[in-house]
Structures are given as C-alpha cells and as structure tokens.
Amino acid sequence: MFRKVSAFLIASVMLLMSVGASSLANAAKKNETEALRVREPLNIAILIQDDLISRVGNELGVTRDFIRSLPAGSRVMVGYITAGSLQVRQPFTTDLGRAANSLRIPIASTSASAYNPYVEVLEALKKFDSSWQGHNAILLISDGLDTSRGFDVSSAGHTLDIDRTISEANRRNTAIFSFYAPSVGLTSRSYLAASYGQSSLNRVSHDTGGRAFFQGTTGFVTFDSYFNRLRAELNRQYATAS
C-alpha cells in the first residue's frame, strides 16, 4: 500500500513539474512573440515572385501571421510578380485579415518567370499614396535575378532597372526589405545565378534603407527566422526614427 501511495505521489509531482515547465515555456514563447511584434503602423506592399520553388508555398502560414500581427492602422498590399507583370491580389487595405487571406501558393513554373522583378517593384512603388502618414516599406520575396538583358555576373546589383528602383524608392521614402528564395529557373541550379540574385537584392535593400535576408546560396529552410529578424529590424529603425 505504501509503495502504491509513493508511486502515486511521485507521478503527481512529475505531472505538476511537466505542466509547470510547459506553462513557463508557453509564457516565454508569448513574451518572445510580443517582443518581436512590429510596434509602429506601416504601409507595406508584400510582393512575391510567382516562379519561386514550390517550397515557398509552405511559408504562407507564417507570412499570414506576420500580416495579421501588424499594428492597427497598418496598410497592406499583396501582389505577385508573374510573367513580366504585377498581379495585385489585394490593393492597400487596413483589413489585415483580408490581406492575409489574399495570399496564394506561387505558380512555381517557368511560365511565370519574371525575367526582371525590379520593373514590377517600380509598379508597386507607384501605388503608395504620398498623403499617407507613417512608414513605407516593401517586402520583396524573390530570387533577385534580372535576366531581361542577359545573364552577366559582372553587372550583379548594377543594372539600369535596379538603379531606377533604388532611385524611385528613395524618392518615395520607401525601404525595400527582401527575402531570398530560389526560382524554378537558374537560381535553383546555379550557385553563380543565386549569388548574382542575392547581390542584387542586397544592394536594393541596403541602398533604400532596408535589409536583405538569405541563408547561403542553397536556398532556405523556413521564413520563420526571416520574419523574426525583419520585425526586429523594423522596430530598430522606427525607434531610431521616432
């Protein structure tokens, strides 16, 4: 009888310890999420290149979470860069749930290849209203590769359209942040092409006050770390600006 009671007590203590540890872990996760929440409302266009590898489709959930977690008063546009055009799925709206639900899985086919994502970024910049208050930003999810005038690694990050994009973004006071992901074309099978694309994204982001996020030339695992770093960078910049 004593052994049965002792075993019951030990099991109860272990269960309480497990529940306590789980509660602490959940609380820590909640605190971390709150710490990484974007604090200032912003006007942000989320642009996704339509010929990125199919694995990008697995990141829709975390992308939706990012949109829904933005502070009240934020405006969000969702667009896809596809076959040389900008397909706006959701014009700028303060309805964050509606913007999040407008995301779709990329086509992940060379039939949707952009050839030059920066022309469509220029189109997106024209949709920012100069009368709006607050910070302007673009999140460009792309391989960054401009093949519209051939593939010349010596011009990585220094094409005419990249220069125009930087100039227009700065004129409109819009920071361009970028997530690198390979496309089903060159950047998924050529380290050189991937490096070219990343160099281009890095220059566009750096020269507009944003930041480029990538994990080597072999692709990515998830966007979770990208979004965590993006939130931290947005909060750092806006705290400095205010």
Side-chain angles (χ1 to χ4, degrees), residues 118 121-122 125 161-169 176 204:
Y118 304 105
V121 174
L122 283 165
L125 283 165
D161 290 319
I162 287 176
D163 290 342
R164 290 173 59 216
T165 298
I166 292 169
S167 177
E168 185 66 14
I176 299 176
V204 167

Side-chain angles (χ1 to χ4, degrees), residues 6-22:
S6 297
F8 175 76
L9 288 173
I10 291 171
S12 298
V13 170
M14 291 180 67
L15 178 60
L16 288 171
M17 290 176 65
S18 176
V19 170
S22 177

